[in-house]
Amino acid sequence: MPTLLLVRHGRSTANTAGVLAGWSPGVHLDPHGSKQADGLAGRLDGIPLALAVSSPLDRCRETLAPLLAARPELGLRLDERLGECRYGDWTGRPLAELATEPLWRTVQAQPSAATFPGPEGESLREMSHRAVESVREWDAEVEREHGADAVWAACSHGDVIKAIVADALGLHLDNFQRISVEPCSVTVIRYTAQRPFLLRLGDTGELGGVAPRPATGDQAADGARDGDAVVGGDTGVR
């Protein structure tokens, strides 16, 4: 079966602002995220790619832009199923503020029971289902068109990638918050007839993200990080 390179978008303006971007318009890579995107093409140099698929959101398309510029023959396919979780009324709100909401504890401890509020909100179960369906369908198409040894790339978002990884590892969705993927990291999964294999998880090629994180002085924000996963994905900043 083919090999999937699952790329999280580079650091965005929402990441550095500490807000939950969701499907908010106008969220782009910040200057550091643009550098990360520039470096991605070099990190993948020498790896033949049969296909590139992306969330339609700007921050994902911008992350793949340098890679596509270096490989104009590759092209890009968009798939809304790889788009960010639809956080409903949580969209655009500060993470420090959301950490005080009762739903935050459900998102942390029992994400399979979490549905985001408002008419546009979806459940984490729905997000997981559409994302896993997407990568498995694209993987089968890549095999049909390019053979079992093909490699392909998909660019998506933190919570989406964590859900895909949980599925690949046979983890219940309630355990997906134990997984962390930093901006512009590459996670590698190979699906086979028997089982998926996780070959890399959140590979950024550097170890700066494991350094101690300084306190911000914001008790709500600092407290949310004490054993809590960052909803929407970590910034990778320490």
Side-chain angles (χ1 to χ4, degrees):
M1 297 286 282
T3 299
L4 164 62
L5 308 183
L6 196 52
V7 180
R8 184 183 168 201
H9 63 77
R11 197 176 75 184
S12 73
T13 53
N15 291 146
T16 47
V19 300
L20 190 60
W23 285 71
S24 299
V27 177
H28 300 280
L29 298 184
D30 71 4
H32 181 69
S34 295
K35 290 180 181 179
Q36 290 176 320
D38 288 339
L40 179 66
R43 289 164 60 198
L44 300 184
D45 188 37
I47 300 176
L49 294 176
L51 179 70
V53 185
S54 178
S55 157
L57 294 172
D58 288 338
R59 52 196 183 274
C60 287
R61 299 173 70 169
E62 291 168 4
T63 297
L64 291 183
L67 174 66
L68 296 172
R71 306 189 193 196
E73 76 287 353
L74 192 56
L76 182 65
R77 308 284 286 277
L78 301 179
D79 189 342
E80 284 204 0
R81 294 175 297 175
L82 292 176
E84 181 61 283
C85 184
R86 295 187 182 274
Y87 295 113
D89 293 348
W90 276 28
T91 302
R93 292 177 59 190
L95 289 165
E97 179 183 295
L98 293 172
T100 66
E101 296 274 355
L103 179 60
W104 181 273
R105 296 263 51 88
T106 304
V107 171
Q108 296 297 323
Q110 194 184 6
S112 66
T115 299
F116 293 98
E120 300 299 322
E122 70 177 334
S123 70
L124 286 170
R125 295 187 314 280
E126 292 168 326
M127 179 271 289
S128 175
H129 176 77
R130 60 163 164 90
V132 170
E133 179 182 64
S134 171
V135 295
R136 287 180 179 266
E137 287 184 1
W138 282 112
D139 199 72
E141 179 174 324
V142 169
E143 182 173 22
R144 287 193 301 270
E145 296 188 0
H146 302 280
D149 294 328
V151 181
W152 65 286
C155 189
S156 189
H157 308 265
D159 281 349
V160 178
I161 294 172
K162 287 161 56 177
I164 293 170
V165 170
D167 171 77
L169 291 175
L171 294 177
H172 194 283
L173 185 63
D174 286 346
N175 291 319
F176 100 127
Q177 297 291 28
R178 301 183 182 200
I179 300 165
S180 178
V181 290
E182 293 192 3
C184 220
S185 63
V186 178
T187 293
V188 184
I189 300 173
R190 180 177 296 134
Y191 293 97
T192 75
Q194 287 74 39
R195 64 185 62 85
F197 290 91
L198 179 65
L199 305 182
R200 297 286 190 279
L201 176 61
D203 189 340
T204 63
E206 59 84 28
L207 294 173
V210 303
R213 187 195 300 268
T216 65
D218 183 334
Q219 290 185 345
D222 293 337
R225 295 191 183 114
D226 186 13
D228 284 355
V230 178
V231 179
D234 201 349
T235 65
V237 180
R238 296 294 189 268

